[in-house]
Amino acid sequence: MISNPASQPSETNRFERTKIKEAVIEIVSDSGEGAQKCGQSLGAISAKMGNGVWTVEIIPAEIQPPARSKAGASGIRVRMGSNKITNMGDHADLVVALNEQVLYGRIDQNAYKPGTYLLIENKWATHTEETAIAYKESIEHFKELGYNIFEIPMEKECLKHVSDAKKGKNMWVLGLLCNLYDRDLEIAANQVKYIFRKKDEKIIQSNLELLYAGYEYANDNFPMHFTIPSKLSEEDYVVMNGNEAISLGVMAAGIEVCSMYPITPATSATHAMAETIESAGGIIHQAEDEIAAIGFAVGASYAGKTAVTITSGPGIALKTEFIGLAIMAEIPLVIIDVQRGGPSTGLPTKVEQGDLLAVLYGAPGDAPKVVLAPSTIEECFHFVILARKLAESFRTPVFVLTDANLATGVQPFPRPKIKAEWFPEPLDQSPWKEGVKVYDWDKHTGISKRPIPGQKGGMYTLTGLAHDEDSHVAYDPAINQRAVESRSRKLAALRETLKPPTIHGDEEGDLLLVGWGSTRGAIEEAAERAKEKGAKVSSIHLRFLSPMEPGLKNIFDKFKKVMTVEINYSDTVGNPLITVENRRYSQLAWYLRAQTLTDIDCLSNVYGQPMSPIQILQRLEKELNLTLID
């Protein structure tokens, strides 16, 4: 034990705080300086206080990019408010930068606005001559852009408490931000203890000392101090990111086998799962490659235990042949695709919704599968449970499409109350009923009962070849037609159980926004802000993408224009050679145009950033000829 544990700083009630509804904060640095851990902690502290929270990680494409470079910006954005927060917001209100150069990458992405507070590490002002010149020029440039600059001796302050400031500056910054935004210091201290719970007591006390020092520094060195009222709920909440929710969803679904190969941004889901899945009776199998990973999962599912494989876009490309086998052999399987920028290696650490068409159609022949798209971190948890049920009920692979925004974003949601119905029924090992065929396709639904290896009389030869009801290779052309029809009919049977999507707003108007996945929060906020300015805008958000949710054509017909909002590529009419006739649409727009024969427009981009409300509002201004942005 430490004989002199860190002591808490003095009270901060000697100055008046400005009450605000919300704040958008960024912490940016070079890689390895702990900016993301600082922001994640600030988000967790705020959520535990009862505030709404959403975080977005800022991750460079390289593991160790050049220090003090625009391309090397690493960090996090934290949006916290009095009400529920569902997206990253527009421009940052306050930024802490551990060097000035990393800010340029964020400025290029329009992350800041005139009046944004920039709290910048000032040690670079007295560094090498070249660095000092660059620092001075940057500070002057930032002032010209209208930012409020505070040059902070972060390293100097940290060295009062630790010998290596790089290993503690993030906790000092956390303390500073806790003071500026009136965060509960006891909750903050407990968060620090939790972060370092596996470390030596000396390390815990050192980081607490840094937390308190940053908090104390903010008492006397800033003219602005804020408070964000919170609303504590009687309901118990949990705080986690989407990948953690996925990992808990796997265990809550009763899935006992996860087979994977490491790939960004999906790997952290299996890291989280690895800490607890064995205590829940399951295992994680790390295969030698993506193909082996899905092969293992298909084998486990065939043996009776529906498995999950977790990957991202490049992994889906490699798994395609085995996905086809699972469809042809009608083997239940859950496939989680945490989407990132593509094609090829693409943007490994950036968000994109670029896999929809590949998942729907990226296979030889007709390969129908169920495709779900959670829109919140809470849905990431529940959709895995739903996916396992659908995979077994309809004897087919089920995709769950998340993305890097959901994967790394932190948000509080009500603690799930475990239900017995989430878990699979015990495997049926009673003798297989005589006369029932292995693929005894129901003529109305296409569904057939699945025999489990080990069932007496249930043995059969599994094949990826076209086959008949007895799993014999199909030499008669009529057999293949019947089999393909049956597999497709399962999607129609599932669609009969679905309800039309809920309309967010009025049921008719000038413009309907249609989204899927992580864009929901930004779309709904933009629509709300537009309606406050008199715009007749509504939105819907699709969770089932295959089969498509019913009633879409009827919904679309009540609006003058329909437009999807997506994070994937589409051509812009007016760009060189691009016309209305040859334009390539965004992926959901393309899919909906084919499904509903409706003229659907799209707003999309591939900047590798989450969609923000202001980006949507800027497009709405053009479409509706209204002023919607103050």
Side-chain angles (χ1 to χ4, degrees):
M1 294 294 291
I2 303 300
S3 57
N4 296 305
S7 58
Q8 291 198 18
S10 59
E11 295 293 329
T12 59
N13 57 8
R14 62 177 180 267
F15 44 72
E16 186 175 342
R17 292 184 176 273
T18 302
K19 185 182 291 186
I20 56 177
K21 291 183 179 179
E22 66 169 55
V24 178
I25 301 159
E26 286 192 359
I27 305 106
V28 287
S29 68
D30 289 333
S31 292
E33 294 190 284
Q36 289 157 10
K37 182 63 68 179
C38 176
Q40 290 164 354
S41 301
L42 180 64
I45 293 162
S46 299
K48 291 173 182 177
M49 289 177 64
N51 290 112
V53 172
W54 188 274
T55 70
V56 175
E57 292 187 2
I58 303 162
I59 309 174
E62 299 176 85
I63 294 174
Q64 193 65 50
R68 289 180 46 79
S69 67
K70 179 168 72 173
S74 176
I76 192 167
R77 169 175 283 209
V78 182
R79 186 184 183 192
M80 53 192 188
S82 296
N83 299 314
K84 184 177 181 179
I85 302 295
T86 61
N87 63 86
M88 72 171 187
D90 297 328
H91 302 105
D93 300 301
L94 183 143
V95 183
V96 179
L98 273 57
N99 74 71
E100 80 289 350
Q101 293 300 311
V102 292
L103 291 169
Y104 283 106
R106 301 297 295 152
I107 291 170
D108 286 352
Q109 293 165 6
N110 196 31
Y112 311 144
K113 61 187 177 183
T116 295
Y117 295 105
L118 299 187
L119 282 56
I120 303 174
E121 164 67 85
N122 72 357
K123 77 170 188 176
W124 310 106
T126 55
H127 206 256
T128 64
E129 181 178 358
E130 182 180 359
T131 300
I133 292 172
Y135 176 85
K136 183 178 180 181
E137 290 176 348
S138 296
I139 295 298
E140 292 304 314
H141 183 212
F142 298 155
K143 290 178 180 177
E144 292 171 5
L145 293 174
Y147 305 142
N148 292 317
I149 310 298
F150 292 84
E151 299 178 67
I152 312 297
M154 301 181 199
E155 179 140 325
K156 179 181 176 181
E157 291 296 321
C158 289
L159 288 174
K160 295 176 181 178
H161 308 278
V162 291
S163 59
D164 184 356
K166 190 173 182 179
K167 292 184 178 180
K169 200 177 290 186
N170 60 341
M171 292 296 104
W172 189 89
V173 170
L174 178 62
L176 182 149
L177 291 172
C178 283
N179 188 323
L180 292 182
Y181 289 96
D182 199 19
R183 304 295 84 189
D184 188 298
L185 196 54
E186 183 177 354
I187 294 176
N190 288 334
Q191 182 67 25
V192 171
K193 292 174 185 177
Y194 177 78
I195 293 170
F196 298 102
R197 64 194 183 279
K198 296 181 180 179
K199 301 291 185 180
D200 185 85
E201 182 67 19
K202 185 177 180 180
I203 293 176
I204 295 173
Q205 291 299 323
S206 174
N207 281 279
L208 284 173
E209 188 175 329
L210 286 162
L211 174 80
Y212 297 150
Y215 194 95
E216 185 70 39
Y217 182 87
N219 275 340
D220 303 313
N221 292 281
F222 297 96
M224 69 291 188
H225 293 83
F226 308 98
T227 186
I228 305 173
S230 59
K231 299 177 181 178
L232 284 173
S233 172
E234 294 182 2
E235 194 171 5
D236 192 15
Y237 274 66
V238 292
V239 184
M240 65 184 70
N241 65 35
N243 274 359
E244 290 169 330
I246 286 287
S247 71
L248 292 174
V250 167
M251 291 180 281
I255 296 174
E256 297 178 4
V257 177
C258 172
S259 181
M260 49 70 70
Y261 181 76
I263 185 170
T264 302
T267 307
S268 64
T270 49
H271 287 170
M273 201 186 308
E275 294 188 7
T276 50
I277 193 170
E278 289 188 8
S279 63
I283 63 163
I284 293 177
H285 172 68
Q286 181 173 319
E288 62 266 34
D289 55 40
E290 294 280 3
I291 300 171
I294 190 171
F296 189 95
V298 169
S301 292
Y302 168 66
K305 293 283 189 180
T306 300
V308 62
T309 187
I310 303 177
T311 189
S312 190
I316 293 295
L318 291 166
K319 294 177 189 292
T320 298
E321 188 171 0
F322 262 122
I323 293 169
L325 172 62
I327 292 168
M328 175 65 85
E330 302 189 41
I331 297 174
L333 182 66
V334 176
I335 305 167
I336 296 170
D337 177 5
V338 186
Q339 298 167 96
R340 70 189 210 187
S344 187
T345 309
L347 298 170
T349 62
K350 307 298 183 183
V351 65
E352 190 174 308
Q353 296 176 306
D355 296 352
L356 176 58
L357 294 181
V359 165
L360 288 171
Y361 302 121
D366 187 64
K369 72 277 288 186
V370 177
V371 181
L372 310 177
S375 65
T376 65
I377 291 165
E378 182 179 13
E379 287 182 359
C380 286
F381 173 84
H382 289 287
F383 276 34
V384 181
I385 300 168
L386 175 60
R388 197 271 306 159
K389 288 187 173 185
L390 293 175
E392 293 178 355
S393 297
F394 290 87
R395 203 175 170 185
T396 189
V398 177
F399 279 83
V400 179
L401 296 184
T402 74
D403 59 43
N405 187 24
L406 287 173
T408 62
V410 171
Q411 187 184 41
F413 62 89
R415 181 181 294 277
K417 297 177 181 177
I418 298 174
K419 300 177 182 178
E421 63 198 49
W422 290 354
F423 303 105
E425 296 290 332
L427 292 178
D428 182 3
Q429 290 290 280
S430 61
W432 188 254
K433 190 175 180 180
E434 190 174 349
V436 175
K437 298 181 178 182
V438 176
Y439 297 100
D440 196 9
W441 297 303
D442 183 275
K443 292 182 180 180
H444 183 68
T445 65
I447 299 170
S448 59
K449 186 178 179 182
R450 175 172 60 130
I452 303 297
Q455 274 188 291
K456 185 177 181 180
M459 295 73 72
Y460 68 101
T461 301
L462 186 79
T463 179
L465 291 166
H467 55 78
D468 63 13
E469 289 85 345
D470 290 310
S471 196
H472 296 154
V473 176
Y475 294 104
D476 184 344
I479 293 174
N480 187 58
Q481 178 71 24
R482 185 166 70 248
V484 173
E485 287 177 351
S486 297
R487 289 193 292 271
S488 180
R489 196 168 295 136
K490 289 191 286 187
L491 292 188
L494 174 55
R495 189 175 186 271
E496 287 295 306
T497 70
L498 304 181
K499 297 178 180 179
T502 300
I503 301 174
H504 184 80
D506 297 330
E507 294 185 0
E508 57 183 32
D510 293 331
L511 180 63
L512 178 70
L513 302 175
V514 185
W516 63 285
S518 68
T519 56
R520 177 184 167 190
I523 292 171
E524 292 183 353
E525 181 174 326
E528 287 293 334
R529 287 161 61 176
K531 285 193 292 184
E532 290 173 1
K533 298 288 187 179
K536 297 179 179 179
V537 179
S538 300
S539 69
I540 61 172
H541 216 76
L542 304 179
R543 276 81 162 181
F544 274 84
L545 298 172
S546 176
M548 188 66 76
E549 293 168 35
L552 295 179
K553 176 67 173 173
N554 291 336
I555 294 173
F556 294 168
D557 287 345
K558 294 178 181 178
F559 291 85
K560 294 179 182 178
K561 184 167 186 175
V562 179
M563 182 170 70
T564 66
V565 179
E566 308 176 63
I567 311 174
N568 54 56
Y569 182 74
S570 64
D571 287 332
T572 300
V573 175
N575 281 354
L577 301 179
I578 304 302
T579 66
V580 173
E581 288 78 17
N582 70 10
R583 177 191 185 190
R584 296 171 65 232
Y585 287 84
S586 61
Q587 296 191 20
L588 180 62
W590 217 330
Y591 186 34
L592 288 174
R593 289 169 71 90
Q595 288 280 324
T596 66
L597 299 181
T598 300
D599 184 13
I600 296 172
D601 202 351
C602 57
L603 162 61
S604 73
N605 65 58
V606 286
Y607 295 124
Q609 302 295 317
M611 191 70 71
S612 67
I614 200 168
Q615 290 175 313
I616 301 170
L617 287 168
Q618 288 167 345
R619 177 63 179 272
L620 295 185
E621 286 189 329
K622 295 178 181 179
E623 294 291 339
L624 302 172
N625 195 27
L626 294 171
T627 301
L628 304 176
I629 303 171
D630 295 327

